[in-house]
Amino acid sequence: MPVRVLIVDDSALIRKVLTEILSEDPDIEVVGTAGDPYIARNKIKELNPDMITLDVEMPRMDGIAFLRNLMRLRPMPVLMISTLTEKGGPITLEALELGAVDYVPKPTADMHGGLFGIADEIREKVKVVALARVRPLDPARLARASQLESLKTDVMGAEYKHGHIIGIGASTGGTEAIMEVLLQFPPDSPPVMITQHIPAGFSTTYAQRLDKECALRVYEARSGQVIKPGCAYLAPGDDHLEIVRDGVNRTCRLSKTEKVNRHRPSVDVLFDSLAAAQGKNCSVALLTGMGSDGARGLLNLRRQGAHTIAQDQDSCVVWGMPRAAVEMDAAVEVKPLDKVAAALLRAARFG
């Protein structure tokens, strides 16, 4: 059965172009279009699509307000397609926090030709998003805070192995998954290295959001930055992140070398550097995401003696990368998302 898509955008041109792009794939059927959220609401009831594409700037109700209502009343897979998802990092992150699965930035010039230029990406993301596991909107701030406080009482002041480092990799669905894991880390945890597939321009805002919400200090990594306990380092969009030894210190190294597994930053690049610099003295988790980036690197780490974790299928938005790791026996443990932080920290402790 083809994926049944409803396109929601106030521009008739964009609706026409997206319909043309998606209709070229026999596995996708555009069942309707809507020029504003009120029309979209009625068409969702009438057509029962598998997923929707959603713009942000629309008349009568903006896309974020509509998304909030949709995920509260009728949760379904949503792919954001908007110019604001490119220039407005906070708006993108708000959409993902509210439950949108993924996003595609509209080109800012030559909208018609620009969209056709990324047609393959749009079609691929539509098919992945349609299969994503979507949950109702969670008023989660209070729950997150209580989770953090309860975990702190268990692990605050724990004695960690000297030089231990934690690594995390993720893709689709990963911005919120990483947030959930980091919220459970105490301020004295081992250093954390993170690669999330994210475009340039979003990673700065995302690092700032993590830093604001979490007990750890969270940085967008810089080349030469010394890695310290109580801190997390996020790969910038469009840069690979590696850990390297520099005398007695371990530092971040950024590079714009070729994409790996079609990604820059790549999870495999980070994981391979952890294997080379840390050997078994690290604990590493591969979280939700499409594709297989990170699976081979996780296997390499397991062979080095590191403690490796894959997120389980039920808690993943997209069980792609963790699934690839499980299938190649790269994970020592397979854990639901809410148990990943404790498992990473447990492996970092003495005893």
Side-chain angles (χ1 to χ4, degrees):
M1 291 287 290
V3 174
R4 304 176 72 255
V5 182
L6 175 69
I7 296 169
V8 185
D9 197 295
D10 67 322
S11 165
L13 172 63
I14 299 302
R15 296 196 299 272
K16 179 177 182 293
V17 171
L18 287 176
T19 298
E20 291 179 20
I21 287 171
L22 296 179
S23 297
E24 288 180 4
D25 191 318
D27 294 325
I28 300 173
E29 178 188 359
V30 178
V31 296
T33 66
D36 70 46
Y38 290 94
I39 298 171
R41 181 183 61 187
N42 293 332
K43 290 206 172 184
I44 288 170
K45 294 177 182 176
E46 174 190 349
L47 301 170
N48 194 31
D50 298 319
M51 64 158 296
I52 67 170
T53 70
L54 180 62
D55 189 16
V56 171
E57 289 186 308
M58 289 185 292
R60 298 208 286 171
M61 180 189 296
D62 67 78
I64 295 297
F66 176 64
L67 180 64
R68 183 179 288 107
N69 290 335
L70 181 70
M71 301 311 291
R72 181 171 55 87
L73 300 172
R74 208 278 197 193
M76 64 186 304
V78 176
L79 175 66
M80 305 299 296
I81 303 182
S82 172
T83 51
L84 280 181
T85 58
E86 181 175 29
K87 69 182 181 182
I91 294 176
T92 302
L93 294 172
E94 184 178 3
L96 295 173
E97 185 176 13
L98 288 171
V101 177
D102 209 344
Y103 53 91
V104 175
K106 284 181 188 173
T108 54
D110 183 19
M111 191 70 73
H112 183 278
L115 282 171
F116 276 105
I118 58 171
D120 288 342
E121 177 187 358
I122 293 172
R123 287 189 288 260
E124 180 182 21
K125 288 199 172 186
V126 161
K127 289 188 283 189
V128 169
V129 166
L131 297 175
R133 187 180 300 270
V134 177
R135 297 174 180 81
L137 180 61
D138 183 4
R141 291 292 177 191
L142 291 176
R144 282 174 174 169
S146 65
Q147 274 184 347
L148 178 61
E149 290 305 316
S150 65
L151 190 81
K152 278 184 182 179
T153 60
D154 289 336
V155 299
M156 274 286 288
E159 187 176 0
Y160 298 110
K161 298 169 187 174
H162 178 70
H164 192 94
I165 287 184
I166 291 171
I168 299 173
S171 184
T172 312
T175 54
E176 294 308 301
I178 289 169
M179 171 75 84
E180 183 167 337
V181 172
L182 291 192
L183 278 167
Q184 297 182 58
F185 280 24
D188 61 346
S189 75
V192 185
M193 307 288 289
I194 305 166
T195 289
Q196 159 72 35
H197 295 162
I198 195 166
F202 292 157
S203 52
T204 300
T205 302
Y206 181 48
Q208 290 169 347
R209 178 177 167 229
L210 291 172
D211 184 59
K212 178 181 177 182
E213 297 287 343
C214 302
L216 295 171
R217 292 298 311 272
V218 181
Y219 299 96
E220 184 180 39
R222 306 185 309 272
S223 272
Q225 189 172 15
V226 176
I227 294 166
K228 299 178 180 179
C231 300
Y233 304 88
L234 174 73
D238 203 35
D239 280 287
H240 292 308
L241 171 63
E242 298 174 87
I243 177 175
V244 295
R245 291 194 175 273
D246 182 10
V248 297
N249 293 319
R250 291 155 301 163
T251 63
C252 298
R253 180 168 67 194
L254 304 181
S255 69
K256 292 190 183 294
T257 53
E258 291 298 314
K259 293 182 178 181
V260 175
N261 303 319
R262 300 190 302 163
H263 295 287
R264 188 174 60 229
S266 163
V267 180
D268 271 334
V269 170
L270 173 62
F271 285 3
D272 285 345
S273 75
L274 283 167
Q278 293 293 116
K280 66 180 181 180
N281 197 17
C282 55
S283 47
V284 184
L286 188 59
L287 307 181
T288 177
M290 67 179 179
S292 62
D293 187 32
R296 180 192 55 77
L298 200 73
L299 179 60
N300 185 23
L301 281 159
R302 182 172 189 180
R303 288 171 173 168
Q304 295 285 332
H307 192 84
T308 56
I309 300 164
Q311 185 179 347
D312 75 353
Q313 181 175 5
D314 287 345
S315 66
C316 276
V317 173
V318 177
W319 199 53
M321 289 157 44
R323 176 180 181 174
V326 169
E327 289 178 347
M328 62 177 64
D329 198 28
V332 174
E333 293 186 281
V334 179
K335 291 285 188 181
L337 182 61
D338 62 355
K339 304 296 183 185
V340 168
L344 288 168
L345 290 168
R346 190 180 308 114
R349 297 172 70 178
F350 284 108

